[in-house]
PDB file of all heavy atoms in Angstrom:
ATOM      1  N   LEU A  10     -63.296 166.828 -46.677  1.00 94.00           N
ATOM      2  CA  LEU A  10     -62.298 166.516 -47.698  1.00 94.00           C
ATOM      3  C   LEU A  10     -61.470 167.739 -48.066  1.00 94.00           C
ATOM      4  O   LEU A  10     -60.287 167.626 -48.361  1.00 94.00           O
ATOM      5  CB  LEU A  10     -62.972 165.956 -48.959  1.00 94.00           C
ATOM      6  CG  LEU A  10     -63.572 164.564 -48.847  1.00 94.00           C
ATOM      7  CD1 LEU A  10     -64.304 164.199 -50.134  1.00 94.00           C
ATOM      8  CD2 LEU A  10     -62.490 163.535 -48.535  1.00 94.00           C
ATOM      9  N   ILE A  11     -62.095 168.895 -48.022  1.00 94.00           N
ATOM     10  CA  ILE A  11     -61.419 170.147 -48.384  1.00 94.00           C
ATOM     11  C   ILE A  11     -60.614 170.695 -47.212  1.00 94.00           C
ATOM     12  O   ILE A  11     -59.453 171.075 -47.361  1.00 94.00           O
ATOM     13  CB  ILE A  11     -62.450 171.201 -48.847  1.00 94.00           C
ATOM     14  CG1 ILE A  11     -63.164 170.713 -50.110  1.00 94.00           C
ATOM     15  CG2 ILE A  11     -61.790 172.559 -49.074  1.00 94.00           C
ATOM     16  CD1 ILE A  11     -64.408 171.516 -50.460  1.00 94.00           C
ATOM     17  N   HIS A  12     -61.223 170.727 -46.036  1.00 95.00           N
ATOM     18  CA  HIS A  12     -60.640 171.418 -44.889  1.00 95.00           C
ATOM     19  C   HIS A  12     -60.086 170.488 -43.820  1.00 95.00           C
ATOM     20  O   HIS A  12     -59.529 170.961 -42.830  1.00 95.00           O
ATOM     21  CB  HIS A  12     -61.692 172.330 -44.247  1.00 95.00           C
ATOM     22  CG  HIS A  12     -62.288 173.314 -45.207  1.00 95.00           C
ATOM     23  ND1 HIS A  12     -61.570 174.366 -45.732  1.00 95.00           N
ATOM     24  CD2 HIS A  12     -63.528 173.386 -45.750  1.00 95.00           C
ATOM     25  CE1 HIS A  12     -62.339 175.055 -46.560  1.00 95.00           C
ATOM     26  NE2 HIS A  12     -63.539 174.477 -46.589  1.00 95.00           N
ATOM     27  N   GLY A  13     -60.258 169.209 -43.992  1.00 93.00           N
ATOM     28  CA  GLY A  13     -59.844 168.253 -42.966  1.00 93.00           C
ATOM     29  C   GLY A  13     -60.984 168.025 -41.998  1.00 93.00           C
ATOM     30  O   GLY A  13     -61.721 168.945 -41.666  1.00 93.00           O
ATOM     31  N   GLY A  14     -61.147 166.831 -41.603  1.00 96.00           N
ATOM     32  CA  GLY A  14     -62.208 166.490 -40.660  1.00 96.00           C
ATOM     33  C   GLY A  14     -62.567 165.029 -40.786  1.00 96.00           C
ATOM     34  O   GLY A  14     -62.120 164.332 -41.701  1.00 96.00           O
ATOM     35  N   ARG A  15     -63.383 164.577 -39.879  1.00 97.00           N
ATOM     36  CA  ARG A  15     -63.814 163.190 -39.834  1.00 97.00           C
ATOM     37  C   ARG A  15     -64.783 162.917 -40.980  1.00 97.00           C
ATOM     38  O   ARG A  15     -65.569 163.784 -41.368  1.00 97.00           O
ATOM     39  CB  ARG A  15     -64.507 162.947 -38.496  1.00 97.00           C
ATOM     40  CG  ARG A  15     -65.122 161.593 -38.344  1.00 97.00           C
ATOM     41  CD  ARG A  15     -66.220 161.672 -37.309  1.00 97.00           C
ATOM     42  NE  ARG A  15     -67.248 162.595 -37.785  1.00 97.00           N
ATOM     43  CZ  ARG A  15     -68.531 162.312 -37.862  1.00 97.00           C
ATOM     44  NH1 ARG A  15     -68.986 161.163 -37.447  1.00 97.00           N
ATOM     45  NH2 ARG A  15     -69.404 163.186 -38.314  1.00 97.00           N
ATOM     46  N   LEU A  16     -64.720 161.714 -41.533  1.00 98.00           N
ATOM     47  CA  LEU A  16     -65.627 161.284 -42.592  1.00 98.00           C
ATOM     48  C   LEU A  16     -66.520 160.170 -42.070  1.00 98.00           C
ATOM     49  O   LEU A  16     -66.042 159.268 -41.375  1.00 98.00           O
ATOM     50  CB  LEU A  16     -64.845 160.764 -43.802  1.00 98.00           C
ATOM     51  CG  LEU A  16     -63.916 161.753 -44.495  1.00 98.00           C
ATOM     52  CD1 LEU A  16     -63.051 161.029 -45.510  1.00 98.00           C
ATOM     53  CD2 LEU A  16     -64.717 162.863 -45.140  1.00 98.00           C
ATOM     54  N   LEU A  17     -67.794 160.212 -42.415  1.00 98.00           N
ATOM     55  CA  LEU A  17     -68.752 159.198 -41.985  1.00 98.00           C
ATOM     56  C   LEU A  17     -69.578 158.753 -43.175  1.00 98.00           C
ATOM     57  O   LEU A  17     -70.212 159.569 -43.840  1.00 98.00           O
ATOM     58  CB  LEU A  17     -69.686 159.759 -40.912  1.00 98.00           C
ATOM     59  CG  LEU A  17     -70.908 158.896 -40.576  1.00 98.00           C
ATOM     60  CD1 LEU A  17     -70.479 157.635 -39.831  1.00 98.00           C
ATOM     61  CD2 LEU A  17     -71.916 159.685 -39.761  1.00 98.00           C
ATOM     62  N   SER A  18     -69.542 157.458 -43.457  1.00 98.00           N
ATOM     63  CA  SER A  18     -70.422 156.854 -44.457  1.00 98.00           C
ATOM     64  C   SER A  18     -71.314 155.847 -43.751  1.00 98.00           C
ATOM     65  O   SER A  18     -70.930 155.276 -42.727  1.00 98.00           O
ATOM     66  CB  SER A  18     -69.616 156.125 -45.537  1.00 98.00           C
ATOM     67  OG  SER A  18     -68.864 157.033 -46.298  1.00 98.00           O
ATOM     68  N   SER A  19     -72.493 155.624 -44.320  1.00 98.00           N
ATOM     69  CA  SER A  19     -73.448 154.683 -43.744  1.00 98.00           C
ATOM     70  C   SER A  19     -73.988 153.804 -44.861  1.00 98.00           C
ATOM     71  O   SER A  19     -74.471 154.313 -45.872  1.00 98.00           O
ATOM     72  CB  SER A  19     -74.595 155.447 -43.080  1.00 98.00           C
ATOM     73  OG  SER A  19     -75.563 154.549 -42.577  1.00 98.00           O
ATOM     74  N   TYR A  20     -73.899 152.495 -44.655  1.00 97.00           N
ATOM     75  CA  TYR A  20     -74.354 151.552 -45.674  1.00 97.00           C
ATOM     76  C   TYR A  20     -75.289 150.537 -45.028  1.00 97.00           C
ATOM     77  O   TYR A  20     -74.980 149.982 -43.975  1.00 97.00           O
ATOM     78  CB  TYR A  20     -73.168 150.830 -46.318  1.00 97.00           C
ATOM     79  CG  TYR A  20     -72.160 151.792 -46.883  1.00 97.00           C
ATOM     80  CD1 TYR A  20     -70.969 152.043 -46.219  1.00 97.00           C
ATOM     81  CD2 TYR A  20     -72.407 152.475 -48.068  1.00 97.00           C
ATOM     82  CE1 TYR A  20     -70.044 152.946 -46.719  1.00 97.00           C
ATOM     83  CE2 TYR A  20     -71.489 153.382 -48.580  1.00 97.00           C
ATOM     84  CZ  TYR A  20     -70.314 153.610 -47.902  1.00 97.00           C
ATOM     85  OH  TYR A  20     -69.405 154.511 -48.397  1.00 97.00           O
ATOM     86  N   THR A  21     -76.414 150.297 -45.692  1.00 95.00           N
ATOM     87  CA  THR A  21     -77.371 149.301 -45.231  1.00 95.00           C
ATOM     88  C   THR A  21     -77.088 148.010 -45.988  1.00 95.00           C
ATOM     89  O   THR A  21     -77.144 147.985 -47.222  1.00 95.00           O
ATOM     90  CB  THR A  21     -78.818 149.782 -45.467  1.00 95.00           C
ATOM     91  OG1 THR A  21     -78.975 151.038 -44.817  1.00 95.00           O
ATOM     92  CG2 THR A  21     -79.814 148.795 -44.904  1.00 95.00           C
ATOM     93  N   LEU A  22     -76.756 146.960 -45.254  1.00 93.00           N
ATOM     94  CA  LEU A  22     -76.354 145.696 -45.872  1.00 93.00           C
ATOM     95  C   LEU A  22     -77.528 144.954 -46.488  1.00 93.00           C
ATOM     96  O   LEU A  22     -77.372 144.252 -47.488  1.00 93.00           O
ATOM     97  CB  LEU A  22     -75.651 144.814 -44.837  1.00 93.00           C
ATOM     98  CG  LEU A  22     -74.439 145.444 -44.156  1.00 93.00           C
ATOM     99  CD1 LEU A  22     -73.883 144.507 -43.091  1.00 93.00           C
ATOM    100  CD2 LEU A  22     -73.372 145.817 -45.170  1.00 93.00           C
ATOM    101  N   VAL A  23     -78.714 145.088 -45.881  1.00 91.00           N
ATOM    102  CA  VAL A  23     -79.933 144.463 -46.391  1.00 91.00           C
ATOM    103  C   VAL A  23     -80.939 145.589 -46.627  1.00 91.00           C
ATOM    104  O   VAL A  23     -81.372 146.228 -45.669  1.00 91.00           O
ATOM    105  CB  VAL A  23     -80.505 143.435 -45.380  1.00 91.00           C
ATOM    106  CG1 VAL A  23     -81.803 142.833 -45.916  1.00 91.00           C
ATOM    107  CG2 VAL A  23     -79.486 142.355 -45.062  1.00 91.00           C
ATOM    108  N   PRO A  24     -81.281 145.854 -47.889  1.00 91.00           N
ATOM    109  CA  PRO A  24     -82.208 146.957 -48.177  1.00 91.00           C
ATOM    110  C   PRO A  24     -83.472 146.872 -47.327  1.00 91.00           C
ATOM    111  O   PRO A  24     -84.073 145.808 -47.181  1.00 91.00           O
ATOM    112  CB  PRO A  24     -82.529 146.769 -49.667  1.00 91.00           C
ATOM    113  CG  PRO A  24     -81.330 146.057 -50.219  1.00 91.00           C
ATOM    114  CD  PRO A  24     -80.876 145.142 -49.096  1.00 91.00           C
ATOM    115  N   GLY A  25     -83.832 148.009 -46.719  1.00 91.00           N
ATOM    116  CA  GLY A  25     -85.028 148.082 -45.893  1.00 91.00           C
ATOM    117  C   GLY A  25     -84.847 147.637 -44.452  1.00 91.00           C
ATOM    118  O   GLY A  25     -85.738 147.810 -43.645  1.00 91.00           O
ATOM    119  N   ASN A  26     -83.677 147.085 -44.119  1.00 93.00           N
ATOM    120  CA  ASN A  26     -83.417 146.606 -42.762  1.00 93.00           C
ATOM    121  C   ASN A  26     -82.414 147.546 -42.088  1.00 93.00           C
ATOM    122  O   ASN A  26     -81.203 147.385 -42.242  1.00 93.00           O
ATOM    123  CB  ASN A  26     -82.870 145.177 -42.813  1.00 93.00           C
ATOM    124  CG  ASN A  26     -82.571 144.607 -41.438  1.00 93.00           C
ATOM    125  OD1 ASN A  26     -82.592 145.316 -40.433  1.00 93.00           O
ATOM    126  ND2 ASN A  26     -82.281 143.328 -41.396  1.00 93.00           N
ATOM    127  N   LEU A  27     -82.942 148.531 -41.347  1.00 89.00           N
ATOM    128  CA  LEU A  27     -82.055 149.505 -40.709  1.00 89.00           C
ATOM    129  C   LEU A  27     -81.149 148.870 -39.667  1.00 89.00           C
ATOM    130  O   LEU A  27     -80.107 149.417 -39.330  1.00 89.00           O
ATOM    131  CB  LEU A  27     -82.865 150.637 -40.092  1.00 89.00           C
ATOM    132  CG  LEU A  27     -83.652 151.495 -41.074  1.00 89.00           C
ATOM    133  CD1 LEU A  27     -84.404 152.591 -40.338  1.00 89.00           C
ATOM    134  CD2 LEU A  27     -82.764 152.066 -42.144  1.00 89.00           C
ATOM    135  N   GLY A  28     -81.509 147.702 -39.167  1.00 92.00           N
ATOM    136  CA  GLY A  28     -80.661 146.981 -38.224  1.00 92.00           C
ATOM    137  C   GLY A  28     -79.425 146.391 -38.869  1.00 92.00           C
ATOM    138  O   GLY A  28     -78.546 145.899 -38.186  1.00 92.00           O
ATOM    139  N   SER A  29     -79.354 146.458 -40.192  1.00 94.00           N
ATOM    140  CA  SER A  29     -78.182 145.929 -40.897  1.00 94.00           C
ATOM    141  C   SER A  29     -77.250 147.048 -41.357  1.00 94.00           C
ATOM    142  O   SER A  29     -76.425 146.860 -42.245  1.00 94.00           O
ATOM    143  CB  SER A  29     -78.622 145.095 -42.106  1.00 94.00           C
ATOM    144  OG  SER A  29     -79.156 145.924 -43.130  1.00 94.00           O
ATOM    145  N   ARG A  30     -77.374 148.194 -40.729  1.00 96.00           N
ATOM    146  CA  ARG A  30     -76.570 149.358 -41.123  1.00 96.00           C
ATOM    147  C   ARG A  30     -75.189 149.295 -40.466  1.00 96.00           C
ATOM    148  O   ARG A  30     -75.052 149.012 -39.281  1.00 96.00           O
ATOM    149  CB  ARG A  30     -77.290 150.629 -40.716  1.00 96.00           C
ATOM    150  CG  ARG A  30     -76.602 151.890 -41.216  1.00 96.00           C
ATOM    151  CD  ARG A  30     -77.464 153.082 -41.016  1.00 96.00           C
ATOM    152  NE  ARG A  30     -78.528 153.026 -42.014  1.00 96.00           N
ATOM    153  CZ  ARG A  30     -79.568 153.831 -42.023  1.00 96.00           C
ATOM    154  NH1 ARG A  30     -79.722 154.738 -41.102  1.00 96.00           N
ATOM    155  NH2 ARG A  30     -80.478 153.729 -42.968  1.00 96.00           N
ATOM    156  N   VAL A  31     -74.165 149.591 -41.271  1.00 97.00           N
ATOM    157  CA  VAL A  31     -72.798 149.692 -40.776  1.00 97.00           C
ATOM    158  C   VAL A  31     -72.257 151.060 -41.186  1.00 97.00           C
ATOM    159  O   VAL A  31     -72.564 151.559 -42.270  1.00 97.00           O
ATOM    160  CB  VAL A  31     -71.904 148.535 -41.310  1.00 97.00           C
ATOM    161  CG1 VAL A  31     -71.742 148.588 -42.815  1.00 97.00           C
ATOM    162  CG2 VAL A  31     -70.550 148.521 -40.624  1.00 97.00           C
ATOM    163  N   TRP A  32     -71.510 151.663 -40.293  1.00 97.00           N
ATOM    164  CA  TRP A  32     -70.862 152.941 -40.589  1.00 97.00           C
ATOM    165  C   TRP A  32     -69.386 152.705 -40.849  1.00 97.00           C
ATOM    166  O   TRP A  32     -68.769 151.833 -40.227  1.00 97.00           O
ATOM    167  CB  TRP A  32     -70.990 153.887 -39.404  1.00 97.00           C
ATOM    168  CG  TRP A  32     -72.339 154.493 -39.207  1.00 97.00           C
ATOM    169  CD1 TRP A  32     -73.446 154.368 -39.988  1.00 97.00           C
ATOM    170  CD2 TRP A  32     -72.718 155.329 -38.117  1.00 97.00           C
ATOM    171  NE1 TRP A  32     -74.488 155.075 -39.465  1.00 97.00           N
ATOM    172  CE2 TRP A  32     -74.071 155.678 -38.310  1.00 97.00           C
ATOM    173  CE3 TRP A  32     -72.053 155.813 -37.006  1.00 97.00           C
ATOM    174  CZ2 TRP A  32     -74.762 156.500 -37.432  1.00 97.00           C
ATOM    175  CZ3 TRP A  32     -72.746 156.626 -36.122  1.00 97.00           C
ATOM    176  CH2 TRP A  32     -74.081 156.976 -36.343  1.00 97.00           C
ATOM    177  N   LEU A  33     -68.828 153.515 -41.733  1.00 98.00           N
ATOM    178  CA  LEU A  33     -67.381 153.607 -41.911  1.00 98.00           C
ATOM    179  C   LEU A  33     -66.979 155.011 -41.492  1.00 98.00           C
ATOM    180  O   LEU A  33     -67.529 155.996 -42.000  1.00 98.00           O
ATOM    181  CB  LEU A  33     -66.979 153.342 -43.364  1.00 98.00           C
ATOM    182  CG  LEU A  33     -67.284 151.942 -43.887  1.00 98.00           C
ATOM    183  CD1 LEU A  33     -66.863 151.810 -45.342  1.00 98.00           C
ATOM    184  CD2 LEU A  33     -66.605 150.881 -43.043  1.00 98.00           C
ATOM    185  N   VAL A  34     -66.059 155.098 -40.554  1.00 98.00           N
ATOM    186  CA  VAL A  34     -65.630 156.380 -40.001  1.00 98.00           C
ATOM    187  C   VAL A  34     -64.125 156.516 -40.191  1.00 98.00           C
ATOM    188  O   VAL A  34     -63.356 155.685 -39.693  1.00 98.00           O
ATOM    189  CB  VAL A  34     -65.977 156.487 -38.495  1.00 98.00           C
ATOM    190  CG1 VAL A  34     -65.522 157.831 -37.944  1.00 98.00           C
ATOM    191  CG2 VAL A  34     -67.468 156.273 -38.266  1.00 98.00           C
ATOM    192  N   SER A  35     -63.729 157.556 -40.939  1.00 98.00           N
ATOM    193  CA  SER A  35     -62.301 157.854 -41.099  1.00 98.00           C
ATOM    194  C   SER A  35     -61.935 158.993 -40.162  1.00 98.00           C
ATOM    195  O   SER A  35     -62.632 160.021 -40.119  1.00 98.00           O
ATOM    196  CB  SER A  35     -61.978 158.263 -42.543  1.00 98.00           C
ATOM    197  OG  SER A  35     -62.119 157.165 -43.403  1.00 98.00           O
ATOM    198  N   GLU A  36     -60.863 158.793 -39.429  1.00 97.00           N
ATOM    199  CA  GLU A  36     -60.419 159.806 -38.471  1.00 97.00           C
ATOM    200  C   GLU A  36     -59.997 161.076 -39.205  1.00 97.00           C
ATOM    201  O   GLU A  36     -59.614 161.044 -40.379  1.00 97.00           O
ATOM    202  CB  GLU A  36     -59.244 159.271 -37.649  1.00 97.00           C
ATOM    203  CG  GLU A  36     -59.585 158.059 -36.819  1.00 97.00           C
ATOM    204  CD  GLU A  36     -60.679 158.315 -35.791  1.00 97.00           C
ATOM    205  OE1 GLU A  36     -60.750 159.424 -35.239  1.00 97.00           O
ATOM    206  OE2 GLU A  36     -61.472 157.386 -35.558  1.00 97.00           O
ATOM    207  N   GLN A  37     -60.027 162.182 -38.497  1.00 96.00           N
ATOM    208  CA  GLN A  37     -59.688 163.478 -39.070  1.00 96.00           C
ATOM    209  C   GLN A  37     -58.313 163.463 -39.720  1.00 96.00           C
ATOM    210  O   GLN A  37     -58.129 164.013 -40.799  1.00 96.00           O
ATOM    211  CB  GLN A  37     -59.741 164.552 -37.984  1.00 96.00           C
ATOM    212  CG  GLN A  37     -59.392 165.934 -38.493  1.00 96.00           C
ATOM    213  CD  GLN A  37     -59.575 167.000 -37.427  1.00 96.00           C
ATOM    214  OE1 GLN A  37     -60.044 166.727 -36.336  1.00 96.00           O
ATOM    215  NE2 GLN A  37     -59.212 168.210 -37.759  1.00 96.00           N
ATOM    216  N   ASN A  38     -57.345 162.800 -39.090  1.00 95.00           N
ATOM    217  CA  ASN A  38     -55.983 162.769 -39.633  1.00 95.00           C
ATOM    218  C   ASN A  38     -55.768 161.612 -40.603  1.00 95.00           C
ATOM    219  O   ASN A  38     -54.660 161.376 -41.063  1.00 95.00           O
ATOM    220  CB  ASN A  38     -54.958 162.705 -38.503  1.00 95.00           C
ATOM    221  CG  ASN A  38     -55.053 161.437 -37.680  1.00 95.00           C
ATOM    222  OD1 ASN A  38     -55.840 160.532 -37.977  1.00 95.00           O
ATOM    223  ND2 ASN A  38     -54.254 161.358 -36.632  1.00 95.00           N
ATOM    224  N   ARG A  39     -56.844 160.873 -40.898  1.00 96.00           N
ATOM    225  CA  ARG A  39     -56.838 159.735 -41.833  1.00 96.00           C
ATOM    226  C   ARG A  39     -55.907 158.615 -41.390  1.00 96.00           C
ATOM    227  O   ARG A  39     -55.448 157.816 -42.180  1.00 96.00           O
ATOM    228  CB  ARG A  39     -56.511 160.161 -43.258  1.00 96.00           C
ATOM    229  CG  ARG A  39     -57.347 161.296 -43.822  1.00 96.00           C
ATOM    230  CD  ARG A  39     -58.828 160.955 -43.899  1.00 96.00           C
ATOM    231  NE  ARG A  39     -59.561 162.021 -44.556  1.00 96.00           N
ATOM    232  CZ  ARG A  39     -60.259 162.939 -43.929  1.00 96.00           C
ATOM    233  NH1 ARG A  39     -60.362 162.911 -42.612  1.00 96.00           N
ATOM    234  NH2 ARG A  39     -60.904 163.879 -44.583  1.00 96.00           N
ATOM    235  N   SER A  40     -55.662 158.520 -40.098  1.00 97.00           N
ATOM    236  CA  SER A  40     -54.801 157.458 -39.569  1.00 97.00           C
ATOM    237  C   SER A  40     -55.514 156.117 -39.523  1.00 97.00           C
ATOM    238  O   SER A  40     -54.866 155.072 -39.512  1.00 97.00           O
ATOM    239  CB  SER A  40     -54.307 157.821 -38.169  1.00 97.00           C
ATOM    240  OG  SER A  40     -55.406 157.939 -37.271  1.00 97.00           O
ATOM    241  N   ALA A  41     -56.854 156.136 -39.489  1.00 98.00           N
ATOM    242  CA  ALA A  41     -57.612 154.891 -39.400  1.00 98.00           C
ATOM    243  C   ALA A  41     -59.019 155.103 -39.933  1.00 98.00           C
ATOM    244  O   ALA A  41     -59.567 156.210 -39.878  1.00 98.00           O
ATOM    245  CB  ALA A  41     -57.692 154.411 -37.957  1.00 98.00           C
ATOM    246  N   THR A  42     -59.572 154.025 -40.451  1.00 98.00           N
ATOM    247  CA  THR A  42     -60.985 153.970 -40.825  1.00 98.00           C
ATOM    248  C   THR A  42     -61.574 152.767 -40.112  1.00 98.00           C
ATOM    249  O   THR A  42     -61.030 151.666 -40.187  1.00 98.00           O
ATOM    250  CB  THR A  42     -61.155 153.856 -42.352  1.00 98.00           C
ATOM    251  OG1 THR A  42     -60.631 155.044 -42.965  1.00 98.00           O
ATOM    252  CG2 THR A  42     -62.621 153.687 -42.729  1.00 98.00           C
ATOM    253  N   THR A  43     -62.677 152.999 -39.424  1.00 97.00           N
ATOM    254  CA  THR A  43     -63.296 151.973 -38.589  1.00 97.00           C
ATOM    255  C   THR A  43     -64.673 151.601 -39.111  1.00 97.00           C
ATOM    256  O   THR A  43     -65.488 152.483 -39.388  1.00 97.00           O
ATOM    257  CB  THR A  43     -63.432 152.490 -37.143  1.00 97.00           C
ATOM    258  OG1 THR A  43     -62.152 152.883 -36.662  1.00 97.00           O
ATOM    259  CG2 THR A  43     -64.020 151.430 -36.228  1.00 97.00           C
ATOM    260  N   ALA A  44     -64.920 150.308 -39.234  1.00 96.00           N
ATOM    261  CA  ALA A  44     -66.269 149.801 -39.474  1.00 96.00           C
ATOM    262  C   ALA A  44     -66.911 149.631 -38.106  1.00 96.00           C
ATOM    263  O   ALA A  44     -66.340 148.995 -37.209  1.00 96.00           O
ATOM    264  CB  ALA A  44     -66.232 148.477 -40.224  1.00 96.00           C
ATOM    265  N   ILE A  45     -68.070 150.234 -37.923  1.00 97.00           N
ATOM    266  CA  ILE A  45     -68.713 150.273 -36.616  1.00 97.00           C
ATOM    267  C   ILE A  45     -70.224 150.275 -36.793  1.00 97.00           C
ATOM    268  O   ILE A  45     -70.738 150.824 -37.778  1.00 97.00           O
ATOM    269  CB  ILE A  45     -68.225 151.518 -35.831  1.00 97.00           C
ATOM    270  CG1 ILE A  45     -68.728 151.532 -34.408  1.00 97.00           C
ATOM    271  CG2 ILE A  45     -68.563 152.808 -36.558  1.00 97.00           C
ATOM    272  CD1 ILE A  45     -68.090 152.610 -33.539  1.00 97.00           C
ATOM    273  N   MET A  46     -70.915 149.675 -35.849  1.00 96.00           N
ATOM    274  CA  MET A  46     -72.378 149.761 -35.850  1.00 96.00           C
ATOM    275  C   MET A  46     -72.781 151.122 -35.260  1.00 96.00           C
ATOM    276  O   MET A  46     -72.105 151.616 -34.340  1.00 96.00           O
ATOM    277  CB  MET A  46     -72.963 148.630 -35.010  1.00 96.00           C
ATOM    278  CG  MET A  46     -72.767 147.262 -35.601  1.00 96.00           C
ATOM    279  SD  MET A  46     -73.462 145.964 -34.566  1.00 96.00           S
ATOM    280  CE  MET A  46     -75.196 146.428 -34.546  1.00 96.00           C
ATOM    281  N   PRO A  47     -73.853 151.724 -35.756  1.00 95.00           N
ATOM    282  CA  PRO A  47     -74.279 153.007 -35.198  1.00 95.00           C
ATOM    283  C   PRO A  47     -74.464 152.957 -33.679  1.00 95.00           C
ATOM    284  O   PRO A  47     -74.131 153.929 -32.990  1.00 95.00           O
ATOM    285  CB  PRO A  47     -75.611 153.279 -35.915  1.00 95.00           C
ATOM    286  CG  PRO A  47     -75.481 152.555 -37.205  1.00 95.00           C
ATOM    287  CD  PRO A  47     -74.683 151.317 -36.890  1.00 95.00           C
ATOM    288  N   SER A  48     -74.949 151.852 -33.159  1.00 94.00           N
ATOM    289  CA  SER A  48     -75.182 151.750 -31.720  1.00 94.00           C
ATOM    290  C   SER A  48     -73.886 151.726 -30.916  1.00 94.00           C
ATOM    291  O   SER A  48     -73.901 151.932 -29.704  1.00 94.00           O
ATOM    292  CB  SER A  48     -76.003 150.503 -31.400  1.00 94.00           C
ATOM    293  OG  SER A  48     -75.294 149.331 -31.795  1.00 94.00           O
ATOM    294  N   GLU A  49     -72.756 151.473 -31.562  1.00 94.00           N
ATOM    295  CA  GLU A  49     -71.469 151.441 -30.877  1.00 94.00           C
ATOM    296  C   GLU A  49     -70.758 152.792 -30.897  1.00 94.00           C
ATOM    297  O   GLU A  49     -69.736 152.947 -30.257  1.00 94.00           O
ATOM    298  CB  GLU A  49     -70.540 150.409 -31.539  1.00 94.00           C
ATOM    299  CG  GLU A  49     -71.015 148.992 -31.453  1.00 94.00           C
ATOM    300  CD  GLU A  49     -70.086 148.049 -32.164  1.00 94.00           C
ATOM    301  OE1 GLU A  49     -69.888 148.213 -33.395  1.00 94.00           O
ATOM    302  OE2 GLU A  49     -69.542 147.146 -31.495  1.00 94.00           O
TER     303      GLU A  49
END
């Protein structure tokens, strides 16, 4: 946030179920934010 760079958040949709985790990834230039599964 200070110096520029990619952002990664991770949210578990069902508590305790790691298979329900989704990541949100914002590109370094903030041109896009992608919802993606960790396995992808």
Side-chain angles (χ1 to χ4, degrees):
L10 290 175
I11 297 167
H12 304 291
R15 175 204 62 128
L16 299 170
L17 168 70
S18 294
S19 177
Y20 305 103
T21 304
L22 304 176
V23 178
N26 180 350
L27 296 181
S29 71
R30 186 169 286 171
V31 64
W32 285 356
L33 296 179
V34 180
S35 291
E36 298 299 325
Q37 180 175 355
N38 64 4
R39 308 298 185 260
S40 62
T42 296
T43 304
I45 187 171
M46 292 180 61
S48 62
E49 296 178 300

